[in-house]
């Protein structure tokens, strides 16, 4: 579970569930990241919840030394980015 408590954003106080899946190529290749909780963000596929690595810089420019914590920290920053923080969100408690 990933919890984000933002201030003055649409994500304030919400709890989001997501999965990070590492296959046999990890850490050479990034894990797949998929939200279970519905969320409206530019880098998240609106039908599947999958984080699009081409739209999420950390995954697009993956380096072996990056960690799961780095992914979560960057997702939190992405939620607070101006292009995401004002997007209308699905009702809390809805899932992909």
């Amino acid at each position: 579970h990933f919890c984000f408590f933002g201030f003055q954003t649409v994500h304030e106080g919400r709890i989001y569930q997501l999965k990070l899946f590492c296959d046999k190529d990890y850490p050479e290749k990034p894990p797949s990241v998929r939200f279970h909780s519905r969320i409206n963000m530019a880098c998240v596929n609106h039908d599947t919840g999958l984080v699009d690595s081409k739209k999420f810089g950390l995954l697009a420019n993956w380096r072996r030394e990056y960690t799961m914590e780095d992914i979560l920290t960057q997702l939190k920053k992405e939620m607070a980015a101006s292009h995401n923080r004002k997007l209308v969100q699905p009702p809390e408690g809805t899932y992909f």
Side-chain angles (χ1 to χ4, degrees):
H1 296 264
F2 171 62
C3 181
F4 177 76
F5 295 98
F7 296 99
Q8 299 176 349
T9 74
V10 292
H11 304 287
E12 185 172 359
R14 286 185 172 216
I15 296 175
Y16 294 97
Q17 295 178 35
L18 61 118
K19 292 183 182 181
L20 286 83
F21 177 77
C22 302
D23 68 11
K24 60 182 174 57
D25 295 325
Y26 178 82
E28 297 302 323
K29 293 189 177 175
S32 65
V33 181
R34 182 182 307 265
F35 276 86
H36 180 59
S37 305
R38 285 204 170 272
I39 188 169
N40 186 10
M41 286 175 55
C43 64
V44 177
N45 181 296
H46 298 290
D47 296 321
T48 65
L50 188 65
V51 175
D52 185 342
S53 61
K54 294 178 181 126
K55 296 179 181 178
F56 187 63
L58 190 82
L59 297 179
N61 302 301
W62 184 257
R63 294 171 48 180
R64 185 180 210 289
E65 58 270 13
Y66 290 158
T67 66
M68 307 263 179
E69 182 179 0
D70 293 327
I71 294 170
L72 296 176
T73 300
Q74 192 59 40
L75 280 172
K76 183 176 178 179
K77 288 179 183 176
E78 188 69 16
M79 287 177 180
S82 61
H83 59 276
N84 283 318
R85 72 173 166 229
K86 302 281 184 192
L87 293 176
V88 175
Q89 294 301 309
E92 192 166 7
T94 57
Y95 303 96
F96 287 102

